[in-house]
Amino acid sequence: MKVFVTGANGQLGHDVVNELVARGHEAIASGSGEKYTGVQDGTAVCSAPYCSMDICQRENVRQVLLAVKPDAVIHCAAWTNVDGAEEPENKPKALAVNGEGTSNIVDACNYLDCKMMYISTDYVFNGQGTEPWQADCQDYDPMNVYGFGKLMGELVVKECLKKFFVVRISWVFGRNGGNFVDTMLRVGSNHSQLKVVNDQIGRPTYTLDLSRLLVDMIESEKYGFYNATNEGNNISWYDFAKEIFRQGDMPVEVLPVTTEEYGISKAQRPFNSRLDTSKLAEQGFRPLPDWQDALKRYLLDKNR
Ligand SMILES: NC(=O)c1ccc[n+]([C@@H]2O[C@H](COP(=O)([O-])OP(=O)(O)OC[C@H]3O[C@@H](n4cnc5c(N)ncnc54)[C@H](OP(=O)(O)O)[C@@H]3O)[C@@H](O)[C@H]2O)c1
């Protein structure tokens, strides 16, 4: 299959390109810049060709995708700075990337009649309650600008395409970008005590594990809405931090605090990020491994 991947310089897109190449698919990586930055230790980890394509430029997207003629597009590019999106000067850009950018890709996929996968988030919901969000839940009620933009993306995919996957994920960590695990390791290396919120609940998602599932999906025709995170208990960020320091063998004391005690962040955050992933097995997909196992492999990989 020929698969076009947006956001290939980001955490998820990088691993998706590598997974496609490892399975013998023809992957075309794309990012907004001139260069493919998917490198580790100065060595390119992937031989996929690279396209520079700003997803907000409608004509540019159309020209590139019509020239490439992919069998599928895995759309990982997004504005992901959740707090930054709340700044009045950034809001139009955040919405343009996540909403109109996705719409531009949808238009080209529609024209090409190819498969499309859109990576979404639990932020399309309001983060209230304690029940896990179901894959087919459409009780949309985003609580911040980022969530609103990602919802615009979901809606245009659902309304305009038939051969689509919407995959909602949460708490992402991967080798190609900054994430909570890296932040904890960095801050923990020069603090003996840290405060971390214990009232926002969800599950982490390791991009390496997710990429395997996304490629399984794109090879199939089992279209629709899915949730995908690593398996295991739902936890708080406090629990996650404690496990990072336990596995990393770092003597850092983690103190639980509420979101209110922690202080105001620019964007409102969901308390309930629980995503029900049971539809994966129901549809014959192999769920992701347990999040503790994923963290162990991530830390091993980082230390290699
Ligand atoms: N990170 C999380 O915790 C999380 C949680 C739930 C859902 N998600 C979703 O998962 C997906 C992947 O997230 P991630 O963590 O891998 O994101 P990431 O590391 O921030 O990467 C996003 C990529 O999007 C690209 N991009 C931004 N604006 C663009 C534009 N105008 N044109 C083309 N490319 C553009 C950037 O490319 P360049 O670097 O080339 O500029 C960047 O590398 C996103 O859809 C995100 O919304 C993430």
Side-chain angles (χ1 to χ4, degrees), residues 58-74:
R58 196 176 185 78
E59 259 321 295
N60 184 211
V61 171
R62 199 175 161 80
Q63 273 171 7
V64 169
L65 285 174
L66 266 55
V68 172
K69 294 193 182 62
D71 301 303
V73 175
I74 301 184

mmCIF file of all heavy atoms in Angstrom, residues 58-74:
data_model
loop_
_atom_site.group_PDB
_atom_site.id
_atom_site.type_symbol
_atom_site.label_atom_id
_atom_site.label_comp_id
_atom_site.label_asym_id
_atom_site.label_seq_id
_atom_site.Cartn_x
_atom_site.Cartn_y
_atom_site.Cartn_z
ATOM 1 N N ARG A 58 -4.704 25.025 1.113
ATOM 2 C CA ARG A 58 -5.620 24.120 0.410
ATOM 3 C C ARG A 58 -5.063 23.628 -0.930
ATOM 4 O O ARG A 58 -5.075 22.440 -1.225
ATOM 5 C CB ARG A 58 -6.939 24.885 0.177
ATOM 6 C CG ARG A 58 -8.100 24.009 -0.175
ATOM 7 C CD ARG A 58 -9.362 24.873 -0.283
ATOM 8 N NE ARG A 58 -10.506 24.020 -0.511
ATOM 9 C CZ ARG A 58 -11.102 23.324 0.430
ATOM 10 N NH1 ARG A 58 -10.647 23.356 1.678
ATOM 11 N NH2 ARG A 58 -12.138 22.568 0.156
ATOM 12 N N GLU A 59 -4.560 24.579 -1.723
ATOM 13 C CA GLU A 59 -4.060 24.214 -3.061
ATOM 14 C C GLU A 59 -2.835 23.322 -2.974
ATOM 15 O O GLU A 59 -2.676 22.371 -3.732
ATOM 16 C CB GLU A 59 -3.733 25.481 -3.871
ATOM 17 C CG GLU A 59 -4.801 25.855 -4.868
ATOM 18 C CD GLU A 59 -5.441 24.652 -5.580
ATOM 19 O OE1 GLU A 59 -4.731 23.964 -6.333
ATOM 20 O OE2 GLU A 59 -6.640 24.392 -5.371
ATOM 21 N N ASN A 60 -1.973 23.650 -2.014
ATOM 22 C CA ASN A 60 -0.749 22.887 -1.788
ATOM 23 C C ASN A 60 -1.108 21.430 -1.422
ATOM 24 O O ASN A 60 -0.558 20.469 -1.970
ATOM 25 C CB ASN A 60 0.039 23.567 -0.655
ATOM 26 C CG ASN A 60 1.396 22.930 -0.389
ATOM 27 O OD1 ASN A 60 1.873 22.931 0.728
ATOM 28 N ND2 ASN A 60 2.037 22.375 -1.400
ATOM 29 N N VAL A 61 -2.058 21.276 -0.540
ATOM 30 C CA VAL A 61 -2.486 19.926 -0.100
ATOM 31 C C VAL A 61 -3.034 19.153 -1.292
ATOM 32 O O VAL A 61 -2.687 17.986 -1.523
ATOM 33 C CB VAL A 61 -3.556 20.051 1.011
ATOM 34 C CG1 VAL A 61 -4.178 18.702 1.339
ATOM 35 C CG2 VAL A 61 -2.955 20.676 2.264
ATOM 36 N N ARG A 62 -3.865 19.822 -2.065
ATOM 37 C CA ARG A 62 -4.489 19.166 -3.223
ATOM 38 C C ARG A 62 -3.427 18.732 -4.243
ATOM 39 O O ARG A 62 -3.426 17.588 -4.686
ATOM 40 C CB ARG A 62 -5.477 20.153 -3.851
ATOM 41 C CG ARG A 62 -6.494 19.500 -4.738
ATOM 42 C CD ARG A 62 -7.515 20.518 -5.219
ATOM 43 N NE ARG A 62 -8.188 19.986 -6.387
ATOM 44 C CZ ARG A 62 -9.169 19.114 -6.346
ATOM 45 N NH1 ARG A 62 -9.621 18.666 -5.191
ATOM 46 N NH2 ARG A 62 -9.732 18.663 -7.460
ATOM 47 N N GLN A 63 -2.523 19.662 -4.536
ATOM 48 C CA GLN A 63 -1.468 19.352 -5.520
ATOM 49 C C GLN A 63 -0.611 18.173 -5.069
ATOM 50 O O GLN A 63 -0.371 17.245 -5.831
ATOM 51 C CB GLN A 63 -0.538 20.555 -5.692
ATOM 52 C CG GLN A 63 -1.030 21.530 -6.725
ATOM 53 C CD GLN A 63 -0.201 22.812 -6.710
ATOM 54 O OE1 GLN A 63 0.810 22.914 -6.019
ATOM 55 N NE2 GLN A 63 -0.659 23.801 -7.452
ATOM 56 N N VAL A 64 -0.180 18.216 -3.816
ATOM 57 C CA VAL A 64 0.710 17.157 -3.318
ATOM 58 C C VAL A 64 -0.025 15.815 -3.324
ATOM 59 O O VAL A 64 0.484 14.819 -3.857
ATOM 60 C CB VAL A 64 1.228 17.494 -1.893
ATOM 61 C CG1 VAL A 64 1.934 16.298 -1.269
ATOM 62 C CG2 VAL A 64 2.159 18.693 -1.930
ATOM 63 N N LEU A 65 -1.208 15.785 -2.759
ATOM 64 C CA LEU A 65 -1.900 14.487 -2.636
ATOM 65 C C LEU A 65 -2.346 13.941 -3.998
ATOM 66 O O LEU A 65 -2.300 12.731 -4.233
ATOM 67 C CB LEU A 65 -3.078 14.592 -1.665
ATOM 68 C CG LEU A 65 -2.633 14.643 -0.192
ATOM 69 C CD1 LEU A 65 -3.810 14.885 0.743
ATOM 70 C CD2 LEU A 65 -1.933 13.355 0.220
ATOM 71 N N LEU A 66 -2.742 14.826 -4.889
ATOM 72 C CA LEU A 66 -3.135 14.337 -6.217
ATOM 73 C C LEU A 66 -1.932 13.839 -7.006
ATOM 74 O O LEU A 66 -2.057 12.934 -7.839
ATOM 75 C CB LEU A 66 -3.895 15.412 -6.987
ATOM 76 C CG LEU A 66 -5.421 15.329 -6.841
ATOM 77 C CD1 LEU A 66 -5.874 15.340 -5.397
ATOM 78 C CD2 LEU A 66 -6.119 16.420 -7.628
ATOM 79 N N ALA A 67 -0.757 14.412 -6.717
ATOM 80 C CA ALA A 67 0.458 13.928 -7.386
ATOM 81 C C ALA A 67 0.888 12.584 -6.801
ATOM 82 O O ALA A 67 1.274 11.675 -7.530
ATOM 83 C CB ALA A 67 1.577 14.957 -7.231
ATOM 84 N N VAL A 68 0.797 12.443 -5.484
ATOM 85 C CA VAL A 68 1.250 11.202 -4.829
ATOM 86 C C VAL A 68 0.267 10.056 -5.067
ATOM 87 O O VAL A 68 0.656 8.899 -5.194
ATOM 88 C CB VAL A 68 1.452 11.446 -3.302
ATOM 89 C CG1 VAL A 68 1.733 10.150 -2.561
ATOM 90 C CG2 VAL A 68 2.587 12.442 -3.060
ATOM 91 N N LYS A 69 -1.015 10.383 -5.111
ATOM 92 C CA LYS A 69 -2.080 9.378 -5.255
ATOM 93 C C LYS A 69 -1.937 8.216 -4.268
ATOM 94 O O LYS A 69 -1.775 7.050 -4.650
ATOM 95 C CB LYS A 69 -2.099 8.790 -6.680
ATOM 96 C CG LYS A 69 -2.477 9.768 -7.762
ATOM 97 C CD LYS A 69 -2.776 9.014 -9.060
ATOM 98 C CE LYS A 69 -3.114 9.941 -10.198
ATOM 99 N NZ LYS A 69 -1.995 10.853 -10.552
ATOM 100 N N PRO A 70 -2.016 8.523 -2.960
ATOM 101 C CA PRO A 70 -1.871 7.441 -1.973
ATOM 102 C C PRO A 70 -3.123 6.557 -1.924
ATOM 103 O O PRO A 70 -4.209 6.976 -2.331
ATOM 104 C CB PRO A 70 -1.722 8.207 -0.660
ATOM 105 C CG PRO A 70 -2.462 9.490 -0.892
ATOM 106 C CD PRO A 70 -2.286 9.825 -2.331
ATOM 107 N N ASP A 71 -2.934 5.326 -1.412
ATOM 108 C CA ASP A 71 -4.092 4.459 -1.147
ATOM 109 C C ASP A 71 -4.734 4.858 0.182
ATOM 110 O O ASP A 71 -5.892 4.546 0.435
ATOM 111 C CB ASP A 71 -3.640 2.994 -1.037
ATOM 112 C CG ASP A 71 -2.957 2.535 -2.316
ATOM 113 O OD1 ASP A 71 -3.597 2.636 -3.373
ATOM 114 O OD2 ASP A 71 -1.779 2.125 -2.244
ATOM 115 N N ALA A 72 -3.944 5.503 1.031
ATOM 116 C CA ALA A 72 -4.460 5.911 2.352
ATOM 117 C C ALA A 72 -3.651 7.082 2.881
ATOM 118 O O ALA A 72 -2.469 7.235 2.554
ATOM 119 C CB ALA A 72 -4.346 4.739 3.332
ATOM 120 N N VAL A 73 -4.312 7.897 3.714
ATOM 121 C CA VAL A 73 -3.625 8.983 4.418
ATOM 122 C C VAL A 73 -3.800 8.754 5.920
ATOM 123 O O VAL A 73 -4.931 8.540 6.382
ATOM 124 C CB VAL A 73 -4.205 10.370 4.045
ATOM 125 C CG1 VAL A 73 -3.558 11.472 4.884
ATOM 126 C CG2 VAL A 73 -4.016 10.655 2.556
ATOM 127 N N ILE A 74 -2.692 8.759 6.652
ATOM 128 C CA ILE A 74 -2.771 8.725 8.126
ATOM 129 C C ILE A 74 -2.407 10.129 8.597
ATOM 130 O O ILE A 74 -1.265 10.576 8.451
ATOM 131 C CB ILE A 74 -1.826 7.659 8.734
ATOM 132 C CG1 ILE A 74 -2.189 6.269 8.182
ATOM 133 C CG2 ILE A 74 -1.943 7.673 10.258
ATOM 134 C CD1 ILE A 74 -1.386 5.109 8.772
#
